[in-house]
Amino acid sequence: MNQPAHIPIFNLFGETTAFPDVVHCEAVLDRAGLHGWVISPHRHTQMAQVFQISSGAARVTLDGAETRLEPGQYLYIPPQIVHGFEFTRGTEGTVLSIPSPVVARLGPKTPALSDWLGTHRHGALSEGADALLASIKGAYGSNGDFRAQRLVSLTHALLAVLADESTAAMPSPRDPNRQMQRLDALISEHLAEGWSARDYASTLHVTTGHLNRVVRGAAGMSLTAYLETAVMTEACRLIAFTRLPVAEVGYRLGYADPPYFSRRFRLRMGETPSAYRARVSGERTGE
C-alpha cells in the first residue's frame, strides 16, 4: 500500500479549499457515497468534527486504533487526530464540521472543558443532543440575517451537552490535575517546536521542579519522559501514515541529529523507526 509523503490534511474530507461556512453540516451519504464509502486516513489541523450514525455503521481508525460507530452513537474528533472510515454501504447519518476558532470560542473555559475538546470521544447520543443536532441541520438549511449566530450557538450547545453527559465529574479549578490539563494543551500546540521542560514550566508560571512533581504524581514518570512520550506518539503517526524519511520525521519534531532520534525512538518503542514502519504497514495491509 503506497503511503503519502505526509499525512493528508483536509478541510472537508478530500477538499483542501477554504472552509465553506461558519459551521458545515452534511449527510454521510453526501460525501462518503462519492468515495466508495471509504475515507482514507487523514487529519484536520484547523477543524473538529462530530459524526452521528442513524443507520448502518462505520469502522473507524483513530491514530491507528480501531473502533466501531453504530446507530445511535456519535464520534467527536478534535484537530490533529489521524482518522479514516469504512462505512457500510448506504449508511445514513450526519457530519458536523466545526472550524477551530468556533470551538475555541466555547466558554467559559475550564480545565475539564479543554480536556474534553482536545480528546476524541465516542458514545451514545442522548435525546437532547440528538434534538440539538436536528436544530443545527435546520439552521444550516435556513436563511436569515442571524443564521451564522444560530449555527454557532447551537453547535456550542451541542458540544457542551456532549461534554456534560460524557463526563462523570467536572474537575473544579482547584483540582490538582488542572496543571496537567493545561500542560497537555500546550504540548499539543507546541509539539513540533522543540520546547524544553523549562519552556513549558515558564509558560505555566511554575518552576520546572514543581511541574516535574505534578507530572510524576499524575503520570508516574518525569516531566522529560512525559514530553518525550508525546513527541514519540506523533512520531509514530508520521512514520505509520506517511512516506517521510525517518530523518525528516525527527527534524519535524525537534531532533536535529537523525541517529539520536532513531536511538531515542528505539529506546521508547522497542524497535527502530524503520522496523516500526514495516510492521505497522504490514498489519494495515494484512501482509
Side-chain angles (χ1 to χ4, degrees):
M1 180 178 179
N2 293 329
Q3 296 296 318
H6 62 281
I7 299 173
I9 297 174
F10 297 153
N11 285 333
L12 281 174
F13 290 146
E15 294 182 356
T16 56
T17 55
F19 200 87
D21 209 333
V22 62
V23 171
H24 187 78
C25 183
E26 66 182 1
V28 169
L29 173 64
D30 293 342
R31 189 75 50 164
L34 299 177
H35 293 267
W37 300 98
V38 176
I39 306 297
S40 61
H42 62 283
R43 64 176 164 187
H44 311 287
T45 61
Q46 296 295 324
M47 183 175 75
Q49 290 185 300
V50 175
F51 291 81
Q52 171 265 340
I53 297 295
S54 54
S55 67
R59 185 166 65 90
V60 188
T61 59
L62 298 164
D63 279 344
E66 288 192 5
T67 190
R68 190 167 177 83
L69 189 58
E70 302 281 357
Q73 295 182 332
Y74 78 91
L75 173 67
Y76 168 77
I77 305 178
Q80 301 296 347
I81 300 296
V82 179
H83 56 285
F85 298 88
E86 290 186 15
F87 292 96
T88 302
R89 185 169 294 276
T91 293
E92 295 184 357
T94 304
V95 184
L96 188 65
S97 300
I98 315 162
S100 293
V102 173
V103 177
R105 290 201 298 271
L106 177 58
K109 287 290 186 295
T110 65
L113 177 61
S114 297
D115 177 64
W116 195 93
L117 292 173
T119 307
H120 60 78
R121 309 286 175 170
H122 176 213
L125 193 72
S126 69
E127 289 185 7
D130 191 49
L132 281 168
L133 188 58
S135 295
I136 292 171
K137 290 190 284 186
Y140 186 78
S142 70
N143 296 310
D145 292 339
F146 303 105
R147 172 182 175 276
Q149 288 82 357
R150 291 171 59 199
L151 280 171
V152 170
S153 297
L154 288 167
T155 299
H156 282 175
L158 175 64
L159 293 176
V161 167
L162 293 177
D164 195 37
E165 292 179 345
S166 65
T167 304
M170 297 286 277
S172 72
R174 295 183 181 182
D175 192 298
N177 288 328
R178 70 189 186 281
Q179 287 178 320
M180 284 297 297
Q181 294 164 342
R182 293 173 62 196
L183 174 61
D184 288 340
L186 285 174
I187 291 172
S188 178
E189 184 178 354
H190 301 285
L191 186 66
E193 298 175 22
W195 272 31
S196 67
R198 179 174 296 179
D199 293 325
Y200 286 104
S202 176
T203 302
L204 292 171
H205 305 293
V206 298
T207 66
T208 304
H210 173 78
L211 188 57
N212 186 66
R213 289 190 294 273
V214 170
V215 172
R216 192 175 291 280
M221 66 179 74
S222 70
L223 172 59
T224 299
Y226 190 77
L227 296 176
E228 188 174 55
T229 297
V231 171
M232 289 303 171
T233 298
E234 178 65 8
C236 287
R237 292 171 178 165
L238 293 172
I239 291 169
F241 292 102
T242 79
R243 290 187 290 107
L244 285 172
V246 170
E248 177 63 24
V249 173
Y251 290 142
R252 291 191 178 199
L253 296 175
Y255 288 87
D257 182 1
Y260 178 69
F261 167 69
S262 293
R263 288 197 300 272
R264 296 306 304 175
F265 187 94
R266 182 173 184 177
L267 182 64
R268 285 279 168 184
M269 306 307 299
E271 57 188 329
T272 65
S274 297
Y276 176 83
R277 171 171 278 164
R279 178 175 62 80
V280 173
S281 176
E283 288 176 355
R284 284 206 313 271
T285 58
E287 295 176 358

